[in-house]
Amino acid sequence: MKARVKWLDNMSFVGESGSGHSIVMDGPPESGGRNLGVRPMEMLLLGLGGCASFDVVLILQKSKQHIIDCEVQIEAARADKEPKVFTRIHLHFVVTGRSVSAEKVERAIKLSAEKYCSASIMLAQMAEVTHDFELIEAP
């Protein structure tokens, strides 16, 4: 994998992925930014959420579960002093579907967290990473 980050101006940067996609990152005004994009540490959480969601959806689809939506809400705490690493990250999955098995959702999340999601496994080396879920029956 390769990526490139280029400084634009002030505290704004554009990140370019090896697959050809771009995203703007910026800092808050109190750090010289103009609030034009996500913060770099927010990008880590978004990457974690995307990686975990990808796994959970794929595992549930392979398990023949009729899911129609999957959202993960992420909350994180950071250390007070530099380096302000994540100390706690919680992922709350909201899975919507028809007759979806709670046991299969729980299994999919566990497999993602312990075997497949590189981001989750890597961040768990530094922070306490926890998961839970709610299941919504679709009409």
Side-chain angles (χ1 to χ4, degrees):
M1 279 188 162
K2 290 187 176 186
R4 178 176 174 252
V5 175
K6 178 153 179 43
W7 179 40
L8 297 174
D9 61 14
N10 297 327
M11 294 308 291
S12 298
F13 301 83
V14 65
E16 299 173 354
S17 69
S19 60
H21 301 281
S22 299
I23 190 157
V24 173
M25 294 175 279
D26 198 9
E30 60 270 16
S31 296
R34 292 179 294 158
N35 201 29
L36 297 174
V38 299
R39 310 290 186 265
M41 290 298 282
E42 291 172 330
M43 290 286 298
L44 287 174
L45 292 181
L46 292 172
L48 167 61
C51 184
S53 295
F54 184 95
D55 292 338
V56 169
V57 167
L58 187 62
I59 292 166
L60 290 173
Q61 287 175 336
K62 287 183 176 182
S63 299
K64 307 286 190 230
Q65 298 300 292
H66 187 74
I67 59 169
I68 56 175
D69 193 28
C70 180
E71 176 181 314
V72 63
Q73 301 162 359
I74 307 166
E75 290 189 30
R78 293 176 67 184
D80 292 330
K81 297 179 182 174
E82 302 293 342
K84 294 182 180 180
V85 298
F86 289 118
T87 56
R88 182 188 52 75
I89 303 170
H90 181 72
L91 292 89
H92 176 73
F93 289 86
V94 180
V95 178
T96 304
R98 292 186 183 93
S99 301
V100 175
S101 162
E103 292 78 21
K104 289 192 178 184
V105 173
E106 185 173 17
R107 178 180 169 273
I109 293 169
K110 183 177 170 113
L111 282 170
S112 175
E114 296 177 1
K115 185 174 182 180
Y116 294 113
C117 181
S118 306
S120 180
I121 293 164
M122 183 171 51
L123 288 168
Q125 299 297 309
M126 180 65 63
E128 175 190 9
V129 180
T130 57
H131 307 78
D132 68 6
F133 71 94
E134 64 184 281
L135 198 48
I136 299 173
E137 184 67 23

